[in-house]
Amino acid sequence: MTTKPTAAEAGTAWLVQCSVQPAALRRAWAADTLAAVRSDVWRVVEADLLRSIDAMLPLFRAGVLGPLLVSTERRRAWWLTALSAEDHLVDIPALTIRPPRWPLLCPEVGQSAYGCAWLEAPDGTGKLTDPAALGAVFGPTSSLSAEAFR
């Protein structure tokens, strides 16, 4: 009888599967350190930590919240979004769109290291934060409510 993987195991497996260097991830995480995840599957969008926390609820309520990595030490957050993120976010000064394969330094799902942890963990399904909705909650006219992008 096979056992179903935990949510953390499923999220970790998804990160490894999406990585262009899966063996490097496994080695870093085995050493209980951060791993540089580079992927062709998503774009990383960087933002202020506190604004990102505020943005989570309306995105969750709208069903478009995907993985969010945070660093309490750096006061930064990194959203995993669709590859088309630049089309929706290029004119929003509060967000920095990282190039494809940008090295996202992260711990294994369910773990924390050096002040970094998954505030919204990858769940293994491939769900990403919708970039249009992310732009709506970070845009200059945002009220940080789900109604802002419905």
Side-chain angles (χ1 to χ4, degrees):
M1 177 158 91
T2 59
T3 59
K4 182 179 176 183
T6 66
E9 290 168 340
T12 295
W14 179 76
L15 286 172
V16 170
Q17 178 186 2
C18 292
S19 173
V20 296
Q21 299 173 318
L25 295 187
R26 293 182 201 278
R27 284 192 303 274
W29 290 334
D32 292 323
T33 191
L34 300 176
V37 181
R38 299 172 191 269
S39 178
D40 293 324
V41 177
W42 65 72
R43 293 292 289 270
V44 175
V45 177
E46 186 172 338
D48 174 76
L49 174 59
L50 294 179
R51 275 196 80 184
S52 294
I53 291 170
D54 286 342
M56 289 181 72
L57 183 58
L59 294 171
F60 172 78
R61 285 182 177 156
V64 294
L65 176 64
L68 176 63
L69 178 70
V70 299
S71 169
T72 55
E73 292 177 6
R74 295 179 61 197
R75 297 182 181 166
R76 302 302 294 162
W78 299 273
W79 300 86
L80 300 188
T81 69
L83 292 172
S84 64
E86 201 162 14
D87 298 342
H88 304 280
L89 305 174
V90 72
D91 293 326
I92 301 175
L95 300 173
T96 302
I97 306 159
R98 298 300 180 182
R101 292 190 179 199
W102 184 78
L104 178 67
L105 295 175
C106 66
E108 187 172 0
V109 176
Q111 305 295 318
S112 64
Y114 305 101
C116 288
W118 290 99
L119 196 53
E120 180 68 22
D123 61 9
T125 67
K127 182 177 182 178
L128 300 169
T129 298
D130 179 85
L134 187 63
V137 295
F138 274 92
T141 61
S142 170
S143 65
L144 280 178
S145 69
E147 288 73 36
F149 51 87
R150 280 193 176 160

